[in-house]
Amino acid sequence: MAKHSYTLHILFFLTLVGTSYGGGIAIYWGQNGNEGTLSEACATGKYSYINIAFLNKFGNSQTPEMNLAGHCDPPSGTCTKFSADIKDCQGKGIKVLLSIGGGIGSYSLSSKEDARNVSKFLWNTFLGGKSSSRPLGDAVLDGIDFDIELGSTKNYDHLARFLKDYGRLGRKVYLGAAPQCPIPDKFLGTALNKGLFDFVWVQFYNNPPCSYANGNITNLVNSWNRWTTRVPKSKIFLGLPAATGAAGSGFIPADVLTSQILPVIKKSPKYGGVMLWSRFYDLQDGYSTSIIGSV
Ligand SMILES: *[C@@H]1O[C@H](CO)[C@@H](O)[C@H](O)[C@H]1NC(C)=O
Ligand SMILES: *[C@@H]1O[C@H](CO)[C@@H](O)[C@H](O)[C@H]1NC(C)=O
C-alpha cells in the first residue's frame, strides 16, 4: 500500500512539472548510393519511419519515373532487390513510405482526374494493388510522402484524398508531407488543411525566417508553435539537416537540439519526433545517435 501511494505521488508530481511527449526519427533514404542499404539503415534501430526518395516524375499524363541515385536503376528492375529490405524494416515495426516529388524532377497534377490517375498508379505500383511493373517488387509500402517543391501548386488535396480512400480497401495508407516551414506552404497548404496527413515533417531549414540561426531558437520555436496549432490531426515533426553539408542553412548542433529545443517542443501533444535529411548525411556525423535518447 505504501509503495502504491508513493507511486501515485510521483505521478502527480510529474503531471505538475509538465507533460513531455515521446517521438521517433524519420529519415530520407535513396538519393545517395553511398548511404548503405535500407536494411542497414533499419538495423541501426535509430529510425521509426523511412521515406524512400524519390518518385520524381508523375502527373500531366507523363509516364512516371523513379530515381534512386546510385542505389539501383528502376527501369531495368535492379531496385526490386530492396523488396526484402522493405519487408525486413517493416518487420522491425518501421513504417516505409515512398516519397514523391523532391527538389529535381518533372511533376504536377493537371486536374482532379489527373490526381485520380496518379493515385491509381501509386496504389498499383507501390501499395496494395497489382501491376506487372513494380520497381520495388512485391513489398507493400506503408504509404506515400509528399515532398512537393516545384511545378503546379494544384490538386494535391485530391491526390491525398484518393490515396487515403484506397486505405478503406484494407490496409491503412499512411500519408506524410514535407512542407517548408513558412505558413502556408505554397504547394501543400490546401492539402494540409484537410487533415488527411498522418505525419507532417516540416522542413525547418533553408528558410531563415522560421529556422534556427546563429544560436537563436526564437524563430524556430515560434514557427513550431504555429504548425502545431494550425494543422489539424497530423503529428508534427521537426525536420532538420543531419549534418552541416545537408542544407544551405538551419543545421542545429546536437547539444543545442537536445538541451534547448526538444524539451520545449515536446510539450505539444502533436509532437511526433524529428525528421532528418538524409541517411547519407546522418552516416557522416552520427547525428541520430547523438539525439535519439532525447527524441
Ligand atoms: C495515367 O497515368 C499513366 C501512368 O500511370 C500515364 O501513362 C497515362 O498517360 C495517364 N493518363 C492520363 C489520362 O493522364
Ligand atoms: C532572436 O531572434 C529574435 C527574432 O528574430 C529576436 O527578436 C531576438 O532579439 C533574438 N535574440 C537574440 C539574443 O539575438
Side-chain angles (χ1 to χ4, degrees):
M1 275 312 276
K3 192 176 177 200
H4 186 211
S5 62
Y6 176 72
T7 309
L8 280 181
H9 184 78
I10 295 274
L11 284 176
F12 183 63
F13 176 73
L14 288 175
T15 311
L16 282 183
V17 168
T19 309
S20 179
Y21 296 87
I25 297 180
I27 193 115
Y28 281 84
W29 174 94
Q31 285 302 293
N32 193 304
N34 299 319
E35 65 195 336
T37 67
L38 269 176
S39 276
E40 285 163 359
C42 294
T44 64
K46 301 290 189 296
Y47 313 121
S48 304
Y49 312 87
I50 305 240
N51 291 319
I52 299 181
F54 290 107
L55 182 86
N56 68 345
K57 187 172 175 185
F58 61 85
N60 215 2
S61 302
Q62 304 178 95
T63 303
E65 279 177 20
M66 189 176 196
N67 174 297
L68 289 179
H71 286 289
C72 54
D73 179 46
S76 59
T78 55
C79 303
T80 54
K81 67 181 175 196
F82 288 117
S83 226
D85 288 45
I86 293 164
K87 291 175 194 170
D88 175 39
C89 295
Q90 290 171 330
K92 294 180 162 73
I94 298 166
K95 295 212 166 25
V96 185
L97 285 73
L98 171 73
S99 188
I100 65 169
I104 305 165
S106 163
Y107 55 85
S108 67
L109 300 170
S110 56
S111 63
K112 186 174 176 183
E113 280 319 299
D114 194 29
R116 192 191 305 274
N117 190 26
V118 171
S119 74
K120 188 176 167 193
F121 164 82
L122 291 169
W123 170 254
N124 284 330
T125 313
F126 299 99
L127 302 171
K130 289 211 165 13
S131 167
S132 55
S133 160
R134 287 180 65 103
L136 296 173
D138 63 357
V140 176
L141 298 188
D142 294 290
I144 304 293
D145 169 54
F146 291 40
D147 180 17
I148 308 304
E149 308 199 3
L150 54 87
S152 164
T153 60
K154 297 197 164 59
N155 300 308
Y156 287 101
D157 52 334
H158 295 306
L159 180 60
R161 165 56 63 199
F162 291 136
L163 285 169
K164 208 73 197 164
D165 284 350
Y166 275 112
R168 292 191 190 153
L169 299 176
R171 184 164 160 169
K172 179 176 164 115
V173 174
Y174 288 91
L175 293 184
Q180 310 289 317
C181 53
I183 292 182
D185 184 78
K186 187 175 160 197
F187 297 95
L188 295 171
T190 308
L192 288 170
N193 286 337
K194 310 269 183 190
L196 294 167
F197 291 88
D198 301 281
F199 317 118
V200 178
W201 6 77
V202 183
Q203 297 186 43
F204 287 96
Y205 47 95
N206 296 331
N207 289 295
C210 48
S211 305
Y212 173 82
N214 308 319
N216 191 327
I217 70 170
T218 305
N219 288 342
L220 178 135
V221 170
N222 287 343
S223 177
W224 170 267
N225 289 336
R226 284 193 288 274
W227 278 98
T228 51
T229 47
R230 289 194 200 172
V231 175
K233 292 181 186 160
S234 321
K235 283 283 179 197
I236 311 291
F237 292 68
L238 187 74
L240 298 175
T244 46
S249 65
F251 176 77
I252 306 179
D255 62 324
V256 174
L257 182 69
T258 56
S259 66
Q260 296 179 40
I261 299 175
L262 289 176
V264 176
I265 69 171
K266 285 174 77 172
K267 291 190 175 131
S268 167
K270 305 210 52 166
Y271 170 80
V274 172
M275 174 275 272
L276 297 177
W277 176 269
S278 62
R279 170 67 177 153
F280 174 75
Y281 291 102
D282 194 27
L283 272 172
Q284 311 298 300
D285 62 353
Y287 196 78
S288 63
T289 306
S290 309
I291 67 167
I292 186 77
S294 305
V295 173

Coordinates of all heavy atoms in Angstrom, one line a residue, residues 8-98:
L8 N 1.8 6.9 -6.9 CA 0.8 7.9 -7.3 C 1.3 9.3 -7.0 O 1.1 10.2 -7.8 CB -0.5 7.7 -6.4 CG -1.4 6.6 -6.9 CD1 -2.6 6.5 -6.1 CD2 -1.8 6.8 -8.4
H9 N 2.0 9.5 -5.9 CA 2.5 10.8 -5.5 C 3.5 11.3 -6.6 O 3.5 12.4 -7.0 CB 3.2 10.6 -4.2 CG 3.8 11.9 -3.6 ND1 2.9 12.9 -3.1 CD2 5.0 12.5 -3.6 CE1 3.7 13.9 -2.7 NE2 4.9 13.7 -3.1
I10 N 4.4 10.3 -7.0 CA 5.4 10.7 -8.1 C 4.7 11.1 -9.4 O 5.0 12.0 -10.0 CB 6.3 9.5 -8.3 CG1 7.2 9.1 -7.1 CG2 7.2 9.7 -9.6 CD1 8.4 9.9 -7.0
L11 N 3.7 10.3 -9.7 CA 2.9 10.5 -11.0 C 2.3 11.9 -10.9 O 2.3 12.7 -11.9 CB 1.8 9.5 -11.2 CG 2.3 8.1 -11.7 CD1 1.2 7.2 -11.8 CD2 3.0 8.3 -13.1
F12 N 1.7 12.2 -9.8 CA 1.1 13.5 -9.6 C 2.1 14.6 -9.7 O 1.9 15.6 -10.4 CB 0.4 13.6 -8.2 CG -0.4 14.8 -8.0 CD1 -1.4 15.2 -8.7 CD2 0.0 15.7 -6.9 CE1 -2.1 16.4 -8.5 CE2 -0.6 16.9 -6.7 CZ -1.7 17.2 -7.5
F13 N 3.3 14.4 -9.1 CA 4.3 15.4 -9.2 C 4.8 15.6 -10.7 O 4.9 16.8 -11.1 CB 5.5 14.9 -8.4 CG 6.7 15.8 -8.4 CD1 6.7 17.0 -7.8 CD2 7.8 15.4 -9.2 CE1 7.8 17.9 -7.9 CE2 8.9 16.3 -9.2 CZ 8.9 17.5 -8.6
L14 N 4.9 14.5 -11.4 CA 5.3 14.7 -12.8 C 4.3 15.4 -13.6 O 4.6 16.2 -14.5 CB 5.6 13.3 -13.4 CG 6.8 12.5 -13.0 CD1 6.9 11.1 -13.5 CD2 8.1 13.3 -13.3
T15 N 3.0 15.2 -13.3 CA 2.0 15.9 -14.1 C 2.1 17.4 -13.8 O 1.9 18.2 -14.7 CB 0.6 15.4 -13.6 OG1 0.6 14.0 -13.7 CG2 -0.5 15.9 -14.5
L16 N 2.4 17.8 -12.6 CA 2.5 19.2 -12.2 C 3.7 19.8 -13.0 O 3.6 20.9 -13.5 CB 2.7 19.4 -10.7 CG 1.5 19.2 -9.8 CD1 1.9 19.5 -8.4 CD2 0.4 20.2 -10.3
V17 N 4.8 19.1 -13.1 CA 6.0 19.6 -13.7 C 5.7 19.8 -15.2 O 6.3 20.8 -15.8 CB 7.2 18.6 -13.5 CG1 8.3 19.0 -14.4 CG2 7.6 18.6 -12.1
G18 N 4.9 19.0 -15.8 CA 4.6 19.2 -17.2 C 4.8 18.0 -18.0 O 5.7 17.3 -17.8
T19 N 3.8 17.7 -18.9 CA 3.9 16.5 -19.7 C 4.9 16.7 -20.8 O 5.0 17.8 -21.4 CB 2.5 16.2 -20.3 OG1 1.5 16.3 -19.2 CG2 2.4 14.9 -21.0
S20 N 5.6 15.6 -21.2 CA 6.5 15.7 -22.3 C 6.2 14.4 -23.1 O 6.1 13.3 -22.6 CB 7.9 15.6 -21.7 OG 8.9 15.6 -22.8
Y21 N 6.1 14.6 -24.4 CA 5.7 13.5 -25.3 C 6.9 12.9 -26.0 O 7.9 13.6 -26.2 CB 4.7 14.0 -26.3 CG 3.4 14.4 -25.7 CD1 3.3 15.8 -25.3 CD2 2.4 13.6 -25.5 CE1 2.1 16.2 -24.6 CE2 1.2 14.0 -24.9 CZ 1.0 15.3 -24.5 OH -0.1 15.7 -23.9
G22 N 6.8 11.6 -26.2 CA 7.9 10.9 -26.9 C 7.7 10.8 -28.4 O 6.6 10.9 -28.8
G23 N 8.8 10.7 -29.1 CA 8.7 10.6 -30.6 C 9.6 9.7 -31.2 O 10.4 8.9 -30.5
G24 N 9.7 9.7 -32.5 CA 10.6 8.8 -33.3 C 11.3 9.7 -34.4 O 11.0 10.8 -34.6
I25 N 12.3 9.0 -35.0 CA 13.1 9.7 -36.0 C 12.6 9.2 -37.4 O 12.5 8.0 -37.6 CB 14.6 9.5 -35.9 CG1 15.1 10.1 -34.5 CG2 15.4 10.1 -37.0 CD1 16.6 10.0 -34.3
A26 N 12.4 10.1 -38.3 CA 12.1 9.8 -39.7 C 13.3 10.2 -40.5 O 13.9 11.2 -40.2 CB 10.8 10.6 -40.2
I27 N 13.6 9.3 -41.5 CA 14.8 9.6 -42.3 C 14.5 9.4 -43.8 O 13.7 8.5 -44.2 CB 16.0 8.8 -41.9 CG1 17.3 9.3 -42.5 CG2 15.8 7.3 -42.3 CD1 18.3 9.7 -41.5
Y28 N 15.1 10.3 -44.6 CA 15.0 10.1 -46.1 C 16.2 9.2 -46.5 O 17.3 9.4 -46.1 CB 15.1 11.4 -46.8 CG 13.7 12.1 -46.8 CD1 13.3 12.9 -45.7 CD2 12.8 12.0 -47.8 CE1 12.1 13.5 -45.7 CE2 11.6 12.5 -47.8 CZ 11.2 13.3 -46.7 OH 10.0 13.9 -46.7
W29 N 15.9 8.3 -47.4 CA 16.9 7.3 -47.9 C 16.7 7.3 -49.5 O 15.5 7.3 -49.9 CB 16.7 6.0 -47.3 CG 17.6 4.9 -47.9 CD1 18.8 4.5 -47.4 CD2 17.4 4.1 -49.0 NE1 19.4 3.5 -48.2 CE2 18.5 3.2 -49.2 CE3 16.3 4.0 -50.0 CZ2 18.6 2.3 -50.3 CZ3 16.4 3.1 -51.0 CH2 17.5 2.2 -51.1
G30 N 17.7 7.2 -50.2 CA 17.5 6.9 -51.7 C 18.3 7.9 -52.6 O 18.4 7.5 -53.8
Q31 N 18.7 9.0 -52.1 CA 19.3 10.0 -53.0 C 20.9 10.0 -53.0 O 21.5 10.8 -53.6 CB 18.8 11.4 -52.7 CG 17.4 11.6 -53.3 CD 17.3 11.3 -54.8 OE1 17.9 12.1 -55.6 NE2 16.6 10.2 -55.2
N32 N 21.5 9.0 -52.4 CA 22.9 8.8 -52.5 C 23.3 7.4 -52.4 O 23.0 6.7 -51.4 CB 23.6 9.6 -51.3 CG 25.1 9.8 -51.6 OD1 25.8 8.8 -51.7 ND2 25.6 11.0 -51.6
G33 N 24.0 6.9 -53.4 CA 24.4 5.5 -53.5 C 25.4 5.1 -52.4 O 25.6 3.9 -52.2
N34 N 26.0 6.0 -51.7 CA 27.0 5.7 -50.7 C 26.4 5.7 -49.3 O 27.2 5.8 -48.3 CB 28.2 6.7 -50.8 CG 28.8 6.6 -52.1 OD1 29.0 5.5 -52.7 ND2 29.2 7.7 -52.7
E35 N 25.1 5.5 -49.1 CA 24.5 5.6 -47.8 C 24.1 4.2 -47.3 O 23.5 4.2 -46.2 CB 23.3 6.5 -47.8 CG 22.1 6.0 -48.7 CD 21.1 7.1 -49.0 OE1 21.0 8.1 -48.3 OE2 20.4 6.9 -50.0
G36 N 24.5 3.2 -48.0 CA 24.2 1.8 -47.5 C 22.8 1.4 -47.9 O 22.0 2.2 -48.5
T37 N 22.4 0.2 -47.5 CA 21.1 -0.3 -47.9 C 20.0 0.1 -46.9 O 20.3 0.6 -45.8 CB 21.1 -1.9 -47.9 OG1 21.3 -2.4 -46.6 CG2 22.2 -2.4 -48.8
L38 N 18.8 -0.2 -47.3 CA 17.7 0.1 -46.4 C 17.8 -0.8 -45.2 O 17.5 -0.3 -44.0 CB 16.4 -0.3 -47.1 CG 15.6 0.8 -47.9 CD1 14.4 0.2 -48.6 CD2 15.2 1.9 -47.0
S39 N 18.1 -2.1 -45.4 CA 18.2 -3.0 -44.2 C 19.3 -2.5 -43.2 O 19.1 -2.6 -42.0 CB 18.6 -4.4 -44.7 OG 17.4 -5.1 -45.1
E40 N 20.4 -2.0 -43.7 CA 21.4 -1.4 -42.8 C 20.9 -0.3 -42.0 O 21.1 -0.1 -40.8 CB 22.7 -1.0 -43.6 CG 23.5 -2.2 -44.1 CD 24.5 -1.9 -45.2 OE1 24.5 -0.7 -45.7 OE2 25.2 -2.8 -45.7
A41 N 20.1 0.6 -42.7 CA 19.6 1.8 -42.0 C 18.6 1.3 -40.9 O 18.7 1.8 -39.8 CB 18.8 2.7 -43.0
C42 N 17.8 0.3 -41.3 CA 16.8 -0.1 -40.3 C 17.5 -0.9 -39.1 O 17.0 -0.8 -38.0 CB 15.7 -1.0 -41.0 SG 14.8 0.0 -42.1
A43 N 18.6 -1.6 -39.4 CA 19.3 -2.4 -38.4 C 19.9 -1.5 -37.3 O 20.2 -1.9 -36.2 CB 20.3 -3.2 -39.0
T44 N 20.1 -0.2 -37.6 CA 20.7 0.7 -36.6 C 19.7 0.9 -35.4 O 20.1 1.3 -34.3 CB 20.9 2.1 -37.2 OG1 19.7 2.7 -37.5 CG2 21.8 2.1 -38.4
G45 N 18.4 0.7 -35.6 CA 17.4 0.8 -34.6 C 17.2 2.3 -34.3 O 16.4 2.6 -33.3
K46 N 17.7 3.2 -35.1 CA 17.5 4.6 -34.8 C 16.2 5.2 -35.4 O 15.7 6.2 -35.0 CB 18.7 5.4 -35.3 CG 20.0 5.0 -34.8 CD 20.2 5.4 -33.3 CE 21.6 5.2 -32.8 NZ 22.0 3.9 -32.8
Y47 N 15.7 4.6 -36.5 CA 14.7 5.2 -37.2 C 13.3 4.5 -37.0 O 13.2 3.3 -37.0 CB 15.0 5.2 -38.7 CG 16.4 5.6 -39.0 CD1 17.3 4.8 -39.7 CD2 16.9 6.9 -38.6 CE1 18.6 5.2 -39.9 CE2 18.2 7.3 -38.9 CZ 19.0 6.5 -39.5 OH 20.3 6.9 -39.8
S48 N 12.3 5.3 -37.0 CA 10.9 4.7 -36.9 C 10.2 4.8 -38.2 O 9.2 4.2 -38.4 CB 10.1 5.5 -35.8 OG 10.8 5.5 -34.6
Y49 N 10.6 5.7 -39.1 CA 10.0 6.0 -40.4 C 11.1 6.2 -41.4 O 12.1 6.9 -41.2 CB 9.1 7.3 -40.4 CG 8.2 7.4 -39.2 CD1 8.7 8.0 -38.0 CD2 6.9 6.9 -39.3 CE1 7.8 8.1 -36.9 CE2 6.1 7.0 -38.2 CZ 6.5 7.6 -37.0 OH 5.7 7.7 -35.9
I50 N 10.9 5.5 -42.6 CA 11.8 5.7 -43.7 C 11.1 6.2 -44.9 O 10.0 5.6 -45.3 CB 12.5 4.4 -44.1 CG1 13.2 3.8 -42.9 CG2 13.5 4.6 -45.3 CD1 14.7 3.6 -43.0
N51 N 11.5 7.3 -45.5 CA 10.9 7.8 -46.7 C 11.9 7.5 -47.9 O 13.0 8.0 -47.9 CB 10.7 9.3 -46.7 CG 9.6 9.7 -45.7 OD1 8.6 9.1 -45.7 ND2 9.9 10.8 -45.0
I52 N 11.4 6.6 -48.8 CA 12.3 6.3 -50.0 C 12.1 7.4 -51.0 O 11.0 7.6 -51.5 CB 11.8 4.9 -50.5 CG1 12.0 3.8 -49.5 CG2 12.6 4.6 -51.8 CD1 11.6 2.4 -50.0
A53 N 13.2 8.0 -51.4 CA 13.2 9.2 -52.2 C 13.9 9.0 -53.5 O 15.1 8.5 -53.5 CB 13.8 10.4 -51.5
F54 N 13.3 9.3 -54.7 CA 12.0 9.9 -54.9 C 11.4 9.3 -56.1 O 12.1 8.8 -57.0 CB 12.1 11.4 -55.2 CG 12.6 12.3 -54.1 CD1 13.8 12.8 -54.0 CD2 11.7 12.6 -53.1 CE1 14.2 13.7 -53.0 CE2 12.0 13.5 -52.0 CZ 13.3 14.0 -52.0
L55 N 10.0 9.4 -56.2 CA 9.4 9.3 -57.5 C 9.3 10.7 -58.0 O 8.5 11.5 -57.4 CB 7.9 8.7 -57.3 CG 7.2 8.5 -58.7 CD1 7.6 7.2 -59.3 CD2 5.7 8.6 -58.5
N56 N 10.2 11.1 -58.9 CA 10.3 12.5 -59.3 C 9.7 12.9 -60.6 O 10.0 14.0 -61.1 CB 11.8 12.9 -59.1 CG 12.7 12.3 -60.2 OD1 12.2 11.3 -60.9 ND2 13.8 12.8 -60.4
K57 N 9.0 11.9 -61.2 CA 8.3 12.3 -62.5 C 6.9 11.7 -62.4 O 6.8 10.4 -62.2 CB 9.0 11.8 -63.7 CG 8.5 12.3 -65.0 CD 9.4 11.9 -66.1 CE 8.8 12.3 -67.5 NZ 9.6 11.8 -68.6
F58 N 5.9 12.5 -62.4 CA 4.5 11.9 -62.4 C 3.5 13.1 -62.8 O 3.9 14.2 -62.8 CB 4.1 11.4 -61.1 CG 4.2 12.4 -59.9 CD1 3.1 13.2 -59.7 CD2 5.3 12.5 -59.1 CE1 3.1 14.1 -58.6 CE2 5.3 13.4 -58.1 CZ 4.2 14.2 -57.8
G59 N 2.3 12.7 -63.2 CA 1.2 13.6 -63.5 C 1.3 14.2 -64.9 O 2.3 14.0 -65.6
N60 N 0.2 14.9 -65.2 CA 0.2 15.6 -66.5 C 0.4 14.6 -67.7 O 1.0 14.9 -68.6 CB 1.3 16.7 -66.5 CG 0.8 17.9 -67.3 OD1 -0.3 17.9 -67.8 ND2 1.7 18.8 -67.4
S61 N -0.1 13.4 -67.5 CA -0.1 12.3 -68.5 C 1.4 11.8 -68.8 O 1.6 11.2 -69.8 CB -0.7 12.7 -69.8 OG -2.1 13.1 -69.5
Q62 N 2.3 12.1 -67.9 CA 3.7 11.6 -68.2 C 3.8 10.2 -67.7 O 3.1 9.8 -66.7 CB 4.7 12.4 -67.4 CG 4.7 13.9 -67.6 CD 5.7 14.6 -66.7 OE1 6.8 14.8 -67.1 NE2 5.3 14.9 -65.5
T63 N 4.7 9.4 -68.3 CA 5.0 8.1 -67.7 C 5.8 8.3 -66.5 O 6.9 9.0 -66.5 CB 5.8 7.3 -68.7 OG1 5.0 7.2 -69.9 CG2 6.0 5.9 -68.2
P64 N 5.3 7.9 -65.3 CA 6.1 8.2 -64.1 C 7.5 7.5 -64.0 O 7.7 6.5 -64.6 CB 5.2 7.5 -63.0 CG 3.9 7.4 -63.6 CD 4.1 7.1 -65.0
E65 N 8.4 8.2 -63.4 CA 9.8 7.7 -63.2 C 10.2 7.8 -61.8 O 9.9 8.8 -61.1 CB 10.7 8.5 -64.1 CG 10.7 8.0 -65.6 CD 11.6 8.8 -66.4 OE1 12.5 9.5 -65.9 OE2 11.4 8.8 -67.7
M66 N 11.0 6.9 -61.4 CA 11.6 6.9 -60.0 C 13.1 7.1 -60.1 O 13.7 6.6 -61.1 CB 11.3 5.5 -59.4 CG 11.6 5.4 -58.0 SD 11.2 3.8 -57.4 CE 11.2 4.2 -55.7
N67 N 13.7 7.8 -59.2 CA 15.1 8.0 -59.2 C 15.7 7.6 -57.8 O 15.3 8.1 -56.8 CB 15.5 9.5 -59.4 CG 16.9 9.7 -59.3 OD1 17.5 9.6 -58.2 ND2 17.6 10.1 -60.4
L68 N 16.6 6.6 -57.8 CA 17.2 6.2 -56.5 C 18.7 6.3 -56.6 O 19.5 5.5 -56.0 CB 16.8 4.7 -56.2 CG 15.4 4.6 -55.7 CD1 15.1 3.1 -55.4 CD2 15.0 5.4 -54.5
A69 N 19.1 7.4 -57.3 CA 20.6 7.7 -57.5 C 21.4 6.5 -57.8 O 21.0 5.7 -58.6 CB 21.0 8.4 -56.2
G70 N 22.5 6.3 -57.0 CA 23.4 5.2 -57.3 C 23.0 3.8 -56.8 O 23.7 2.8 -56.9
H71 N 21.8 3.8 -56.1 CA 21.4 2.5 -55.5 C 21.1 1.4 -56.5 O 21.4 0.3 -56.3 CB 20.2 2.7 -54.6 CG 20.5 3.5 -53.3 ND1 21.2 2.9 -52.3 CD2 20.2 4.7 -52.9 CE1 21.3 3.7 -51.3 NE2 20.8 4.9 -51.6
C72 N 20.4 1.8 -57.5 CA 19.9 0.8 -58.5 C 19.2 1.6 -59.6 O 19.0 2.8 -59.5 CB 18.9 -0.1 -57.8 SG 17.5 0.8 -57.0
D73 N 18.8 0.9 -60.6 CA 18.2 1.5 -61.8 C 16.7 1.0 -62.0 O 16.5 -0.1 -62.4 CB 19.0 1.2 -63.1 CG 18.4 1.8 -64.3 OD1 18.0 3.0 -64.3 OD2 18.3 1.1 -65.3
P74 N 15.7 1.8 -61.5 CA 14.4 1.4 -61.5 C 13.9 0.7 -62.8 O 13.3 -0.4 -62.8 CB 13.5 2.6 -61.1 CG 14.5 3.4 -60.4 CD 15.9 3.2 -61.0
P75 N 14.1 1.4 -64.0 CA 13.5 0.8 -65.2 C 14.1 -0.6 -65.6 O 13.3 -1.4 -66.1 CB 13.9 1.8 -66.4 CG 14.3 3.0 -65.7 CD 14.8 2.6 -64.3
S76 N 15.3 -0.9 -65.2 CA 15.9 -2.2 -65.6 C 15.6 -3.3 -64.5 O 16.1 -4.4 -64.6 CB 17.4 -2.1 -65.9 OG 18.0 -1.6 -64.7
G77 N 14.9 -2.9 -63.4 CA 14.4 -3.9 -62.5 C 15.4 -4.2 -61.4 O 15.2 -5.1 -60.5
T78 N 16.5 -3.4 -61.3 CA 17.5 -3.8 -60.3 C 17.2 -3.2 -58.9 O 17.9 -3.5 -57.9 CB 18.9 -3.2 -60.7 OG1 18.8 -1.8 -60.9 CG2 19.5 -3.8 -61.9
C79 N 16.1 -2.5 -58.8 CA 15.6 -2.0 -57.5 C 14.7 -3.0 -56.7 O 14.4 -2.8 -55.5 CB 14.9 -0.6 -57.6 SG 15.9 0.6 -58.4
T80 N 14.3 -4.0 -57.4 CA 13.4 -5.0 -56.8 C 14.1 -5.7 -55.6 O 13.5 -6.3 -54.8 CB 12.9 -6.0 -57.8 OG1 14.0 -6.7 -58.4 CG2 12.0 -5.4 -58.8
K81 N 15.5 -5.6 -55.6 CA 16.2 -6.3 -54.5 C 15.9 -5.6 -53.2 O 16.1 -6.2 -52.1 CB 17.7 -6.2 -54.8 CG 18.3 -4.8 -54.7 CD 19.8 -4.7 -55.0 CE 20.3 -3.3 -55.1 NZ 21.6 -3.1 -55.7
F82 N 15.3 -4.4 -53.2 CA 15.0 -3.7 -52.0 C 13.7 -4.2 -51.4 O 13.3 -3.8 -50.3 CB 15.0 -2.2 -52.1 CG 16.5 -1.7 -52.3 CD1 16.9 -1.1 -53.4 CD2 17.4 -1.9 -51.2 CE1 18.2 -0.6 -53.5 CE2 18.7 -1.4 -51.3 CZ 19.1 -0.8 -52.5
S83 N 13.0 -5.0 -52.1 CA 11.7 -5.6 -51.6 C 12.0 -6.3 -50.3 O 11.2 -6.1 -49.3 CB 11.1 -6.6 -52.6 OG 9.7 -6.3 -52.7
A84 N 13.0 -7.1 -50.2 CA 13.3 -7.9 -49.0 C 13.7 -6.9 -47.9 O 13.3 -7.1 -46.7 CB 14.4 -8.9 -49.3
D85 N 14.4 -5.8 -48.2 CA 14.8 -4.8 -47.2 C 13.6 -4.2 -46.6 O 13.5 -3.9 -45.4 CB 15.7 -3.7 -47.9 CG 17.1 -4.2 -48.2 OD1 17.2 -5.3 -48.8 OD2 18.1 -3.5 -47.9
I86 N 12.6 -3.8 -47.5 CA 11.4 -3.1 -47.1 C 10.7 -4.0 -46.1 O 10.3 -3.6 -45.0 CB 10.5 -2.7 -48.3 CG1 11.2 -1.7 -49.1 CG2 9.2 -2.3 -47.8 CD1 10.7 -1.5 -50.5
K87 N 10.5 -5.3 -46.4 CA 9.8 -6.2 -45.5 C 10.6 -6.4 -44.2 O 10.0 -6.5 -43.1 CB 9.6 -7.6 -46.2 CG 8.7 -7.5 -47.4 CD 8.6 -8.8 -48.1 CE 7.9 -8.7 -49.5 NZ 8.1 -9.9 -50.3
D88 N 11.9 -6.4 -44.3 CA 12.7 -6.5 -43.1 C 12.5 -5.3 -42.2 O 12.3 -5.5 -41.0 CB 14.2 -6.6 -43.6 CG 15.2 -6.6 -42.5 OD1 14.9 -7.2 -41.5 OD2 16.3 -6.0 -42.6
C89 N 12.5 -4.1 -42.8 CA 12.3 -2.9 -42.0 C 10.9 -2.9 -41.3 O 10.7 -2.7 -40.2 CB 12.4 -1.7 -42.9 SG 14.1 -1.4 -43.5
Q90 N 9.9 -3.3 -42.1 CA 8.5 -3.4 -41.6 C 8.4 -4.4 -40.5 O 7.7 -4.2 -39.5 CB 7.5 -3.7 -42.8 CG 7.4 -2.5 -43.7 CD 6.6 -2.9 -45.0 OE1 6.6 -4.0 -45.4 NE2 5.9 -1.9 -45.6
G91 N 9.2 -5.5 -40.6 CA 9.2 -6.5 -39.6 C 9.7 -6.0 -38.2 O 9.4 -6.5 -37.2
K92 N 10.5 -4.9 -38.3 CA 11.0 -4.2 -37.1 C 10.1 -3.2 -36.6 O 10.4 -2.4 -35.7 CB 12.4 -3.6 -37.4 CG 13.5 -4.7 -37.7 CD 14.8 -3.9 -38.0 CE 16.0 -4.9 -37.9 NZ 16.1 -5.8 -39.1
G93 N 8.9 -3.0 -37.2 CA 7.9 -2.0 -36.8 C 8.2 -0.6 -37.4 O 7.6 0.4 -37.0
I94 N 9.1 -0.6 -38.4 CA 9.4 0.7 -39.1 C 8.4 0.9 -40.2 O 8.2 0.0 -41.0 CB 10.9 0.7 -39.6 CG1 11.8 0.5 -38.4 CG2 11.2 1.9 -40.4 CD1 13.2 0.2 -38.8
K95 N 7.9 2.1 -40.3 CA 7.0 2.4 -41.4 C 7.8 2.9 -42.6 O 8.7 3.8 -42.5 CB 6.0 3.5 -41.0 CG 5.0 3.0 -40.0 CD 3.7 3.6 -40.0 CE 2.7 2.8 -39.2 NZ 3.2 2.1 -38.0
V96 N 7.5 2.3 -43.8 CA 8.3 2.7 -45.0 C 7.4 3.3 -46.0 O 6.4 2.7 -46.4 CB 9.0 1.4 -45.6 CG1 9.9 1.8 -46.8 CG2 9.8 0.7 -44.6
L97 N 7.7 4.6 -46.4 CA 6.8 5.3 -47.3 C 7.6 5.6 -48.6 O 8.8 5.7 -48.6 CB 6.4 6.6 -46.7 CG 5.3 6.6 -45.6 CD1 5.8 6.0 -44.3 CD2 4.7 8.0 -45.4
L98 N 6.9 5.8 -49.7 CA 7.5 6.3 -50.9 C 7.3 7.8 -50.9 O 6.2 8.3 -50.8 CB 6.8 5.7 -52.2 CG 7.3 6.3 -53.5 CD1 8.7 5.9 -53.8 CD2 6.3 6.0 -54.6

